[in-house]
Amino acid sequence: PPAVHRRMDFRDAPAAAATAIVIFHNHPSGDPTPSEDDLILTNRMLSAGVVMGIDVVDHIILGDQRYCSLLEAGAIPRPG
């Protein structure tokens, strides 16, 4: 299971009156390719965002001099 709990990413958003968040984390391996756990976490965060009324704009995975945007990869629906 993913190591990050949904409420950790959303804990500051309501206090800041945020209407959207961007999730990001790094892969120490240097390869930013999303893992199955990353995709599961993204879907859980999208669902939590719907319940809370906070859009998840993107989930960005950082690697060595590279990144993967799950929005750009089509794993997150484009807003609008």
Side-chain angles (χ1 to χ4, degrees):
V4 176
H5 195 284
R6 290 184 299 269
R7 70 176 165 255
M8 295 306 291
D9 283 308
F10 283 107
R11 76 174 166 223
D12 295 327
T19 59
I21 64 169
V22 174
I23 304 163
F24 68 93
H25 74 280
N26 72 308
H27 280 182
S29 69
D31 180 1
T33 303
S35 68
E36 186 63 31
D37 281 346
D38 292 332
L39 298 174
I40 291 169
L41 173 65
T42 300
N43 286 325
R44 288 182 178 170
M45 296 300 291
L46 288 166
S47 296
V50 168
V51 170
M52 296 183 72
I54 299 173
D55 293 329
V56 176
V57 177
D58 202 349
H59 182 172
I60 299 171
I61 303 168
L62 306 172
D64 288 337
Q65 308 290 320
R66 297 180 298 151
Y67 75 95
C68 175
S69 160
L70 294 182
L71 176 67
E72 291 174 3
I76 292 178
R78 293 206 178 265

